[in-house]
Amino acid sequence: MIEPYNMEIGDETLKSMIEINPEITELTNQEIIKKVEILKEINCSKTQILSIIISNPLFLSRGINEIIKLLSYLQEIGFTCLNILFDSNPYILNLEPFEIKKYINNRINQGENLDDIVDDLDSNPYLFQEI
């Protein structure tokens, strides 16, 4: 597992990440690189990628297909700047699309419309913690 060092993640930071997510030690460099590439595809800068991975090391254990489904769903419902959204709240990357759908449907059932809900979540990413 050389990739975290290539990303300039220090020993102490990596140690903290492993405490949160011990599965990191079992990941191959290729698995980590694929997840970094996904973040690059949504225009995350190097700084944003480091921030996301260091803040949310559980992201590294997610399956590629799970991540892609989440990104697709978020784009489908109207999120446009996913890089900023994930930099603001990297834990969103741990959610499943059905969890977000359920939250949105509950708000729609209370009389809100989808565009307003997406705008609210986009401008207040901490609201995803209610999910």
Side-chain angles (χ1 to χ4, degrees), residues 39 42-45 48-49 51-52 79-92 121-126 128:
L39 294 175
I42 59 167
N43 298 317
C44 286
S45 68
Q48 288 173 323
I49 292 169
S51 174
I52 290 166
F79 288 93
T80 55
C81 297
L82 294 178
N83 59 331
I84 295 169
L85 183 69
F86 298 144
D87 190 36
S88 299
N89 186 349
Y91 302 103
I92 296 168
L121 288 168
D122 201 24
S123 56
N124 302 301
Y126 66 89
F128 277 94

Side-chain angles (χ1 to χ4, degrees), residues 9-129:
I9 295 175
D11 287 336
E12 287 303 312
T13 302
L14 185 57
K15 186 177 174 181
S16 296
M17 291 169 61
I18 292 170
E19 285 177 17
I20 295 169
N21 183 7
E23 291 179 24
I24 291 173
T25 60
E26 299 170 20
L27 297 173
T28 66
N29 286 332
Q30 217 36 45
E31 289 172 309
I32 295 170
I33 289 169
K34 284 181 184 178
K35 289 164 184 141
V36 168
E37 289 300 318
I38 288 173
L39 294 175
K40 285 180 181 176
E41 288 175 16
I42 59 167
N43 298 317
C44 286
S45 68
K46 181 179 178 181
T47 304
Q48 288 173 323
I49 292 169
L50 281 174
S51 174
I52 290 166
I53 290 173
I54 290 169
S55 298
N56 181 17
L58 294 171
F59 163 70
L60 293 173
S61 294
R62 299 240 21 220
I64 297 295
N65 289 337
E66 293 173 320
I67 297 167
I68 291 171
K69 285 178 186 176
L70 175 64
L71 299 178
S72 295
Y73 176 68
L74 291 170
Q75 290 171 330
E76 177 186 314
I77 61 172
F79 288 93
T80 55
C81 297
L82 294 178
N83 59 331
I84 295 169
L85 183 69
F86 298 144
D87 190 36
S88 299
N89 186 349
Y91 302 103
I92 296 168
L93 287 160
N94 298 345
L95 296 173
E96 296 290 338
F98 77 86
E99 294 172 304
I100 299 168
K101 283 179 189 177
K102 182 179 176 185
Y103 175 82
I104 288 173
N105 286 337
N106 285 339
R107 288 187 59 177
I108 287 172
N109 290 338
Q110 294 175 5
E112 296 181 65
N113 72 45
L114 179 60
D115 290 338
D116 290 342
I117 297 167
V118 169
D119 286 344
D120 192 26
L121 288 168
D122 201 24
S123 56
N124 302 301
Y126 66 89
L127 290 175
F128 277 94
Q129 290 172 260

